[in-house]
Amino acid sequence: MARGIQDPAIQMDIDCQVDLFENGVFYKSLTLDTPAILSGTISTQGYLDFPVDSSVVLSEGKEYTVKVNYPGFETVTATDTKPNTVKIKELSWRSFNGEWPEWFFDTPAYRISLMGETRKGDPLIEITVVIDDPPDTENFYRMGLNHVALSSTYLDRDSRMQYAVYSDPDPPYMKYSYKSKAHRYSGSMKGYTWAPITQWITWELLWSDKSFNGRSHAFKIIAPPPGDGAYYVVSLYSLSYDYYNYMIDRWKYYKVSDDPFSEPIRLHSNTSNGCGIFAMYSVDKDTLQF
């Protein structure tokens, strides 16, 4: 019977070796972060952590392979290619009063937000992100939105914002945790009491270029107005095939995880001698001033 390296029954030690290869040539051995193992929480203690330091530069268009050697197990390998960055060609916005789609009210960001219950006639902005999708290859995307302000009573100085779309009532997404150095001030609204937080969880949408491959395309998202003295930073992620398909399978799992009669979801994996994911992305950012 196969067991994961993180299986509690396995005595963890420091004999695990992780090597990184670039286009088939040895690049670097990653160093085990022993203090991270000892100081982890109950949910993370025992996991081996091999952080990548600033000397490791991953280049677009190159293939990278990670090999994990652990005593008593077969070598686990996984390979992915860092995608080329698709640039944001145009970025614009318009303000309007409208209604949030129902999907938005299920997001964790809304449930901890200071927004009221109003669903119609809210002041909103529509952000349009235009790209030139590269031809002759499959391309996959994800988008992130940061709210940045010099000061604020209720929001972080740098917080990850939840956005939504009108084009799809049930859009595929991935869960994303964003850690901010600032924190939200305490307060209360909608019957909740707020404590300072430094980590934001958002549902960030995933796109495939199946319907617009090789053509100019405009992503349209809606978000709350940023407020006086604030601006948005839009991040457009170009995802590898493995990254996108793994996240799509996780999204399918989220949708049926509470249904005991649902069919099992087999998560996409690109590893040999194991099950897991080693995936890459590139990102382009632009600032939206108001």
Side-chain angles (χ1 to χ4, degrees):
M1 179 180 293
R3 294 184 298 175
I5 289 179
Q6 295 88 1
D7 192 302
I10 299 175
Q11 180 64 42
M12 303 306 296
D13 55 42
I14 62 173
D15 293 331
C16 186
Q17 176 74 29
V18 178
D19 295 324
L20 184 65
F21 296 79
E22 182 181 79
N23 287 343
V25 178
F26 175 78
Y27 183 23
K28 187 178 181 66
S29 290
L30 304 185
T31 304
L32 175 65
D33 186 358
T34 305
I37 300 175
L38 300 177
S39 63
T41 64
I42 293 177
S43 62
T44 61
Q45 278 183 344
Y47 281 73
L48 299 182
D49 185 14
F50 291 83
V52 177
D53 59 52
S54 58
S55 67
V56 176
V57 178
L58 305 180
S59 302
E60 295 178 8
K62 291 187 176 181
E63 181 185 84
Y64 292 90
T65 298
V66 62
K67 293 186 178 181
V68 181
N69 295 281
Y70 193 84
F73 292 84
E74 295 185 49
T75 299
V76 176
T77 64
T79 299
D80 198 19
T81 299
K82 185 175 174 69
N84 294 317
T85 301
V86 175
K87 300 290 187 179
I88 297 174
K89 181 180 179 180
E90 298 176 19
L91 189 61
S92 60
W93 66 279
R94 71 177 181 92
S95 59
F96 68 103
N97 287 340
E99 181 178 358
W100 285 101
E102 287 297 317
W103 176 89
F104 174 80
F105 298 100
D106 291 329
T107 64
Y110 169 75
R111 292 196 295 269
I112 66 167
S113 73
L114 298 180
M115 295 177 61
E117 296 287 354
T118 303
R119 300 195 178 200
K120 295 183 179 180
D122 284 347
L124 300 171
I125 63 170
E126 180 185 70
I127 300 173
T128 301
V129 182
V130 179
I131 65 166
D132 285 332
D133 184 74
D136 304 323
T137 182
E138 289 183 295
N139 301 288
F140 309 97
Y141 302 100
R142 168 184 139 223
M143 198 174 301
L145 187 65
N146 277 63
H147 176 281
V148 183
L150 295 179
S151 63
S152 177
T153 303
Y154 297 111
L155 294 177
D156 288 355
R157 293 183 178 182
D158 177 16
S159 58
R160 198 73 161 191
M161 298 298 291
Q162 182 64 60
Y163 59 86
V165 294
Y166 287 135
S167 57
D168 188 345
D170 186 24
Y173 64 86
M174 61 168 279
K175 293 182 180 180
Y176 180 72
S177 296
Y178 179 78
K179 293 184 178 180
S180 173
K181 294 181 180 179
H183 65 267
R184 171 180 286 165
Y185 293 95
S186 299
S188 63
M189 188 174 286
K190 298 193 301 183
Y192 296 95
T193 299
W194 306 104
I197 58 174
T198 57
Q199 181 165 297
W200 297 76
I201 299 177
T202 53
W203 289 358
E204 306 206 334
L205 302 192
L206 303 167
W207 288 272
S208 164
D209 71 348
K210 185 176 181 179
S211 63
F212 55 86
N213 182 266
R215 304 195 304 270
S216 178
H217 181 73
F219 299 102
K220 293 182 180 293
I221 63 174
I222 58 172
D228 295 338
Y231 60 91
Y232 278 144
V233 176
V234 178
S235 299
L236 179 68
Y237 298 86
S238 301
L239 313 178
S240 71
Y241 171 89
D242 288 313
Y243 192 119
Y244 174 81
N245 282 280
Y246 173 73
M247 289 302 175
I248 286 293
D249 284 346
R250 288 192 62 170
W251 168 66
K252 293 176 181 177
Y253 171 77
Y254 298 150
K255 290 170 63 65
V256 301
S257 58
D258 293 329
D259 181 1
F261 303 104
S262 63
E263 292 293 326
I265 301 296
R266 181 180 293 275
L267 296 181
H268 178 80
S269 172
N270 66 346
T271 61
S272 62
N273 296 326
C275 181
I277 191 70
F278 171 66
M280 313 184 80
Y281 68 84
S282 300
V283 62
D284 186 38
K285 298 184 179 183
D286 202 350
T287 299
L288 196 60
Q289 301 282 358
F290 296 87

